[in-house]
């Protein structure tokens, strides 16, 4: 087993009324970026906080490199976490915020300046936290996570509040860190961003695991959510034929007359058209993206609890 | 893509040092890097200065009275109540004995600013905890140190350090003022008198215990405003409300002296009993009972608070 592997096993959290996380198990491998996805209220934050010993699980365990967070002798040297944007004292400067963490962890003060530089916050180092923009706060959080040069990074919606350049910067940073062999677990709602960044995904809904695996495999395994684009001068006939002979398909029509068929493959559409004597000008399969897959997998489970 | 790459260490870290010292240093940085520090500092300086003015003025007239008093004889006023007579007798004795007056005046001056000083130290202890939740820094703190008991203990130690600082600071100020005042009146510093030294030392103990009490209060009441209000109100009320109320109960409801003795259960009164060289009030228990009550509260609050903090979900 590699050092930086995260293993979540049977993790469960019952809040008073809500079962936020329900017998959840998955693993996160080093050297890869793992996207942790789920609708609002799916239990992502709760899972990450249980992994970091901030929330006590009702059952199950989460380990990092085989140990529970509380058992790590120097936690910040092993794990860096970015949890919420607002967690610094309003009246404290960014630099002092980092120095206070350095003191607790036994890091030299120069680390504070080094990570400020890393996230591009040096100009604001001596400004108070209350004057930071959302993106600056997020960068300070990332700086804090990097203080101990950790081999595992856990980030809860780190792209929140970052501008496009900031998002690209973070993508590059996480990519580089993963390529250095570190473990990156990052929760996000930005599915197109995750499709660019993540190697693996863990998708949960209503506290339960829905799917885990490499992004390409997960997407390829979901060919049935592919969209088939059709150009035809006899749109109405085709729509009727599909409705009559291929149940479960939905067809939408764009302004320019292009039809998009969801719920079946191009071959079926072609065969149906042939049988119905419908003339086709174009028949293309559009590979589903992560968003299509995500929405299909979590359909009906996305309700906020 | 490989999955077994060993992470090359890119940064060299020196030995982190012992955890308790690290935590206390971190707590001190937290205090120093915000406004709390000098706001409370200015408060204590102002109130100590004010108290010094008041106590030297009162002391001045008390010393003059005692020095002028001849051979008056104690005669109790109309009441036949034992507690009242005892109180009057004690007052009479103090007022007519110059050496006792000097001692009590010196003790009073040397512990100037105590009333608000103790409250400020308590509030610092409280804010050390409640700030973590108010500003959502608890996450950061507990990520750096997942051992929550260690965090609470370091906050207790930090509160006591702050208490020691305030005590030394106010005591130096008061010693200088008191010594000048007494020698100007032609008397010695009284620092060779045990009751005076005792007052100064126990003042320090009171500072430390109130710091601890404040931390306990902060853990019990997580809300910043709630904890600060409960703390300061019960502190001030102890002095200005509880005592009169208990005396009313004693006079009109339960005419037993244990009612008066039992007042020690209120922390602010326990503290007064512990510090006071004379009986703080008639039928007050011994000083050490007050001390034990304060220590008891500190341990109780601290233990309950630590247990709660260990189990609490930080989200
Ligand atoms: N401290 C708490 N007390 C009670 N219920 C909670 C608490 N924290 C979270 N929950 C509930 O647990 C469920 C999961 O919440 P969680 O914050 O883990 O979801 P999430 O996946 O992070 O959602 P989002 O995408 O909106 O951030 C929600 O229904 C939420 O209301
Ligand atoms: Mg969340």
């Amino acid at each position: 087993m590699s050092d930086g592997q995260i293993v979540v096993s049977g993790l469960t959290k019952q809040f008073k009324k809500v079962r936020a996380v329900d017998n959840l198990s998955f693993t996160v491998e080093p050297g890869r970026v793992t996207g942790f996805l789920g609708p609002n209220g799916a239990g992502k934050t709760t899972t990450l906080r249980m992994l970091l010993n901030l929330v006590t699980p009702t059952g199950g365990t989460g380990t990092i490199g085989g140990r529970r967070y509380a058992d790590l002798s120097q936690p910040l040297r092993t794990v860096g976490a970015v949890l919420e944007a607002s967690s610094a004292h309003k009246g404290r400067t960014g630099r002092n915020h980092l120095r206070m963490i350095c003191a607790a962890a036994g890091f030299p003060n120069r680390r504070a300046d080094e990570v400020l530089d890393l996230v591009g916050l040096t100009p604001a180092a001596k400004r108070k936290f209350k004057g930071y923009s959302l993106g600056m706060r997020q960068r300070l959080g990332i700086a804090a996570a990097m203080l101990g040069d950790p081999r595992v990074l856990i980030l809860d919606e780190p792209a929140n509040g970052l501008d496009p350049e900031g998002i690209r910067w973070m993508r590059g940073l996480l990519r580089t860190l993963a390529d250095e062999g570190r473990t990156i677990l990052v929760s996000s709602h930005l599915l197109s961003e995750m499709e660019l960044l993540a190697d693996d995904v863990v998708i949960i809904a209503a506290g339960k695991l829905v799917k885990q695996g490499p992004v390409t495999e997960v997407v390829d395994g979901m060919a049935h959510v592919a969209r088939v684009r059709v150009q035809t001068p006899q749109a109405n006939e085709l729509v009727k034929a599909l409705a009559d002979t291929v149940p479960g398909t939905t067809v939408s029509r764009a302004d320019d007359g292009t039809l998009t068929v969801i719920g079946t493959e191009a071959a079926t559409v072609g065969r149906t058209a042939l049988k119905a004597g419908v003339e086709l000008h174009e028949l293309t399969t559009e590979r589903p993206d992560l968003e299509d897959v995500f929405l299909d997998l979590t359909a009906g489970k996305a309700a906020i609890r | 893509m490989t999955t077994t790459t060993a992470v090359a260490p890119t940064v060299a870290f020196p030995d982190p040092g012992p955890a308790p010292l690290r935590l206390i240093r971190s707590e001190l940085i937290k205090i120093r890097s915000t406004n709390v520090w000098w706001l409370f500092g200015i408060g204590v300086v102002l109130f100590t200065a004010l108290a010094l003015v008041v106590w030297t003025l009162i002391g001045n007239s008390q010393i003059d009275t005692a020095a002028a008093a001849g051979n008056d004889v104690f005669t109790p006023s109309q009441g036949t109540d034992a507690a009242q007579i005892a109180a009057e007798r004690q007052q009479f004795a103090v007022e007519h004995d110059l050496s006792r007056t000097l001692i009590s005046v010196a003790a009073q001056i040397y512990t100037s600013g105590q009333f608000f000083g103790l409250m400020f130290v308590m509030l610092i202890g409280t804010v050390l905890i409640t700030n973590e939740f108010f500003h959502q820094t608890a996450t950061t703190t507990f990520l750096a140190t997942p051992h929550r008991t260690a965090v609470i203990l370091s906050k207790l130690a930090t509160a006591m350090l702050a208490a020691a600082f305030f005590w030394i600071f106010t005591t130096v100020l008061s010693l200088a003022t008191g010594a000048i005042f007494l020698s100007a009146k032609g008397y010695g510093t009284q620092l060779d008198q045990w009751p005076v030294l005792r007052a100064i030392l126990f003042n320090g103990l009171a500072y430390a215990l109130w710091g601890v009490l404040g931390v306990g209060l902060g853990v019990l009441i997580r809300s910043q405003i709630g904890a600060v209000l409960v703390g300061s109100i019960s502190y001030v009320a102890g002095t200005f409300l509880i005592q009169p109320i208990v005396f009313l109960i004693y006079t009109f409801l339960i005419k037993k002296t244990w009612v008066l003795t039992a007042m020690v259960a209120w922390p602010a009164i326990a503290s007064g009993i512990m510090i006071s060289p004379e009986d703080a009030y008639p039928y007050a228990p011994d000083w050490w009972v007050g001390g034990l009550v304060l220590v008891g509260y500190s341990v109780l609050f601290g233990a309950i608070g630590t247990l709660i903090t260990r189990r609490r979900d930080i989200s």
Side-chain angles (χ1 to χ4, degrees), chain A residues 40-41 43-46 156-157 187 189:
Chain A
N40 287 131
K44 302 181 294 295
T45 300
T46 307
D156 198 3
E157 319 238 4
S187 91
H189 289 295

Side-chain angles (χ1 to χ4, degrees), chain B residues 39-115:
Chain B
L39 283 180
F40 281 105
I42 287 177
V44 165
V45 171
L46 282 182
F47 279 109
T48 308
L50 190 69
L52 276 172
V53 171
V54 171
W55 289 125
T56 44
L57 285 178
I58 293 177
N60 192 33
S61 78
Q62 283 178 343
I63 291 175
D64 289 348
T65 311
N71 306 332
D72 296 2
V73 176
F74 172 66
T75 38
S77 57
Q78 312 296 2
T80 47
D81 176 0
Q84 204 178 324
I85 294 175
E88 285 176 12
R89 185 189 299 280
Q90 186 182 319
Q91 175 129 23
F92 179 86
V94 173
E95 276 175 6
H96 290 75
D97 183 334
L98 180 58
S99 60
R100 277 181 82 178
T101 303
L102 280 175
I103 288 174
S104 97
V105 167
Q108 197 63 264
I109 293 179
Y110 292 153
T111 57
S112 285
Q114 184 181 57
F115 182 73

Side-chain angles (χ1 to χ4, degrees), chain A:
Chain A
M1 188 198 69
S2 356
D3 254 1
Q5 196 187 36
I6 298 175
V7 178
V8 168
S9 151
L11 214 47
T12 300
K13 179 67 185 184
Q14 177 79 47
F15 288 114
K16 279 187 196 82
K17 293 193 184 116
V18 188
R19 199 165 190 86
V21 178
D22 194 356
N23 196 16
L24 180 63
S25 303
F26 62 87
T27 55
V28 181
E29 300 299 332
R32 300 173 74 81
V33 176
T34 302
F36 190 30
L37 315 177
N40 287 131
K44 302 181 294 295
T45 300
T46 307
T47 302
L48 298 183
R49 284 188 171 266
M50 284 196 282
L51 206 47
L52 295 165
N53 194 49
L54 293 168
V55 167
T56 319
T58 311
T61 51
T63 57
I64 297 157
R67 297 163 117 204
R68 291 180 314 146
Y69 190 81
D71 297 336
L72 297 170
S73 59
Q74 289 192 62
L76 295 193
R77 289 292 312 279
T78 311
V79 186
V82 182
L83 288 179
E84 57 235 5
S86 59
S87 54
H89 191 294
K90 308 270 175 299
R92 194 173 284 145
T93 65
R95 192 159 174 242
N96 279 333
H97 174 72
L98 296 173
R99 286 192 165 184
M100 148 211 128
I101 304 173
C102 282
F107 302 155
N109 274 344
R110 66 172 162 78
R111 277 305 289 160
D113 300 321
E114 286 167 12
V115 294
L116 280 170
D117 207 40
L118 175 76
V119 303
L121 265 187
T122 308
K126 291 181 186 167
R127 294 223 298 269
K128 288 187 175 173
F129 185 73
K130 64 179 162 211
Y132 279 22
S133 70
L134 189 53
M136 288 161 79
R137 291 174 183 207
Q138 203 60 270
R139 282 170 194 256
L140 185 66
I142 296 171
M146 293 304 297
L147 274 174
D149 192 29
R151 61 168 40 233
V152 177
L153 266 180
I154 293 177
L155 308 99
D156 198 3
E157 319 238 4
N160 244 350
L162 289 183
D163 54 20
E165 201 202 318
I167 291 184
R168 176 181 288 188
W169 162 78
M170 199 187 56
R171 191 193 308 146
L173 176 72
L174 296 185
R175 189 71 263 161
T176 310
L177 293 171
D179 290 346
E180 286 170 7
R182 300 180 214 249
T183 315
I184 315 288
L185 177 60
V186 46
S187 91
S188 180
H189 289 295
L190 303 178
L191 294 168
S192 50
E193 173 60 29
M194 276 298 122
E195 190 151 33
L196 285 175
L197 174 63
D199 303 306
D200 299 328
V201 284
V202 172
I203 301 177
I204 66 169
K208 294 196 181 74
L209 184 70
V210 173
K211 199 100 191 166
Q212 155 165 39
V215 178
T216 44
E217 271 176 36
V218 168
V219 171
D220 289 347
M222 296 287 292
H224 65 278
V225 298
R227 299 152 185 265
V228 180
R229 205 170 68 212
V230 188
Q231 299 262 24
T232 168
Q234 299 158 277
N236 291 336
E237 283 91 334
L238 181 61
V239 171
K240 186 170 181 308
L242 281 169
D244 290 346
T245 56
V246 195
T249 54
T250 48
V251 184
S252 56
R253 194 188 310 212
D255 287 345
D256 65 353
T258 309
L259 299 181
T260 305
V261 186
I262 302 175
T264 187
E265 292 145 37
T268 315
V269 178
R271 204 177 314 117
T272 311
L274 185 63
K275 276 193 197 144
V278 172
E279 174 185 348
L280 294 185
H281 294 172
E282 187 193 336
L283 180 62
T284 359
T285 305
E286 284 182 346
R287 189 173 166 278
D289 58 16
L290 190 56
E291 182 173 285
D292 300 323
V293 171
F294 175 85
L295 290 175
D296 185 75
L297 284 172
T298 59
K301 301 172 188 161
I304 289 179
R305 294 166 295 156

Side-chain angles (χ1 to χ4, degrees), chain B residues 146-271:
Chain B
H147 303 285
R148 300 190 186 174
T149 312
V151 172
I152 303 280
L153 287 177
S154 75
K155 285 186 186 285
L156 285 176
T158 308
M160 289 207 245
L161 279 179
F165 179 83
F166 277 44
W167 173 63
I168 292 172
F169 185 79
T170 54
T171 301
V172 166
L173 216 63
S174 317
L175 277 177
T177 314
I180 291 172
F181 163 72
L182 286 171
S183 61
K185 294 213 56 105
Y187 301 106
T189 58
Q190 309 297 316
L191 284 172
D192 49 349
Q193 299 291 328
W194 169 240
V196 175
L197 284 179
R198 182 185 168 284
I200 296 173
L201 291 177
F202 277 56
N203 189 26
L205 182 62
Y207 270 99
L209 289 178
W210 278 97
V212 174
L213 218 57
V215 173
L217 186 72
V219 200
L220 280 184
I221 306 178
R222 197 187 342 184
S223 142
Q224 175 111 292
I225 298 158
V228 166
L229 279 184
V230 167
S232 29
I233 288 175
S234 51
Y235 180 80
V236 175
T239 318
F240 295 115
L241 264 181
I242 302 297
Q243 205 150 329
I245 289 176
V246 172
F247 269 106
L248 282 180
I249 294 177
Y250 169 72
T251 317
F252 295 110
L253 288 175
I254 315 170
K255 202 138 186 77
K256 298 260 170 35
T257 53
W258 62 258
V259 175
L260 298 180
T261 313
M263 235 187 326
V264 71
W266 193 262
I269 291 179
S271 161

